[in-house]
Amino acid sequence: MIILKTDEEVARMRASGRIAARVLAAVAQAVRPGITTRELDALGARLIRAADAQSAFYGYRGYPGQICVSVNEEVVHGIPGARVIQLGDVVSVDVGVEYRGFIGDTATTVMVGVTDPEIIRLVAAGQQALDRAVSLAVAGARLSDLSHAIEQTAASAGYAVVRDFVGHGVGRQMHEDPQIPNFGAPGRGPRLRPGMTLALEPMLNQGSSEVEVLADGWTVVTKDRKVSVHFEHSVAVRDGAALVLTCVE
Ligand code: MF3
Ligand code: CO
Ligand code: CO
């Protein structure tokens, strides 16, 4: 993992984070009935290129997309393709970019005319889990305090967290140490220090926590095919309050 030491390094992580956040916001805005996930990928590709950045996903272990788009039962790593977005869908978009040597990684989940109150509650719980983890990413905390808060937020709303995929350190590489599970007892793991940069990414399932990977080798789906949501920010640990790197301003 990297520790940001200079203002220059912080500025560069903010720059890549800002690009990722702006691309994510634009793609999330474009999600509507009738659009294909491939069209969302093309929009993401165009915006990443327009920002002079590169997709951190394309070619990563052979990943074929520019972004990830995961619909309903798809948890993460959905490969954009011919799937057409329908009214009532729950769409998770994940954007990772590299800009001047630093990575920004961020995801959100949008509802397309969803009226089912249970799904609306699931999405709110996912957002709340991320917000709580961000608020705990301060110097002096223990890493598993964040994991525990995510799991507790999900559990108290009646949802399960995915256990097979984790958050991670982020910096010059997309996936750096440490791994950050979305569950666990508090008070464990390394103590957070100023300058650590973390990608926090709760994945919450409407049903069981169990997931499997489809035959395409990437798309992660819930075993029970119930809905899953995903929210992610890249943040820098500081004294007092985390700095959210993947914000649009
Ligand atoms: N962005 C994902 C994460 O949050 C990783 C995507 S890997 C890819 O860690 F190859 F699917 F793009
Ligand atoms: Co991501
Ligand atoms: Co990530």
Side-chain angles (χ1 to χ4, degrees):
M1 87 164 310
I2 59 163
I3 307 273
L4 302 178
K5 292 196 188 70
T6 65
D7 290 350
E8 164 74 9
E9 287 173 323
V10 174
R12 284 166 70 165
M13 276 300 279
R14 291 187 87 151
S16 62
R18 185 180 304 116
I19 292 167
R22 286 179 175 170
V23 173
L24 178 66
V27 173
Q29 279 281 327
V31 175
R32 56 176 168 74
I35 198 166
T36 65
T37 57
R38 183 178 286 119
E39 289 172 306
L40 295 170
D41 192 65
L43 173 62
R46 188 153 51 75
L47 296 170
I48 291 168
R49 195 168 327 111
D52 267 330
Q54 283 193 311
S55 169
F57 300 173
Y58 180 73
Y60 176 84
R61 299 188 181 178
Y63 182 74
Q66 295 280 325
I67 64 176
C68 298
V69 184
S70 308
V71 184
N72 296 341
E73 76 285 354
E74 297 172 353
V75 179
V76 288
H77 304 169
I79 301 173
R83 188 165 181 165
V84 179
I85 301 301
Q86 315 281 339
L87 206 59
D89 279 350
V90 176
V91 182
S92 300
V93 180
D94 193 340
V95 171
V97 305
E98 179 176 348
Y99 180 69
R100 298 176 67 202
F102 289 88
I103 306 279
D105 186 10
T106 184
T108 194
T109 297
V110 298
M111 293 178 281
V112 184
V114 170
T115 55
D116 180 345
E118 209 206 315
I119 301 294
I120 295 170
R121 232 165 45 77
L122 171 65
V123 172
Q127 180 70 65
Q128 187 179 45
L130 175 58
D131 293 346
R132 293 228 172 116
V134 169
S135 73
L136 291 169
V138 296
R142 298 286 290 272
L143 186 63
S144 83
D145 296 346
L146 285 58
S147 304
H148 180 72
I150 290 167
E151 183 180 27
Q152 281 301 116
T153 305
S156 65
Y159 302 114
V161 293
V162 173
R163 304 173 80 90
D164 294 0
F165 295 86
V166 297
H168 50 93
V170 62
R172 291 185 173 276
Q173 307 291 325
M174 176 162 61
H175 291 149
E176 301 189 354
D177 288 344
Q179 293 196 359
I180 310 172
N182 291 311
F183 63 93
R188 311 261 174 89
R191 211 170 270 289
L192 300 187
R193 295 179 24 213
M196 285 182 172
T197 45
L198 308 174
L200 308 173
E201 50 180 313
M203 289 150 258
L204 272 60
N205 291 355
Q206 178 188 15
S208 100
S209 65
E210 297 279 293
V211 300
E212 62 191 359
V213 180
L214 295 184
D216 63 18
W218 280 103
T219 311
V220 179
V221 297
T222 55
K223 273 200 180 151
D224 58 16
R225 301 300 192 264
K226 291 188 179 182
V227 173
S228 185
V229 301
H230 180 214
F231 291 86
E232 178 176 28
H233 269 311
S234 301
V235 307
V237 173
R238 297 186 301 187
D239 291 316
L243 175 63
V244 178
L245 299 163
T246 43
C247 68
V248 292
E249 296 98 66

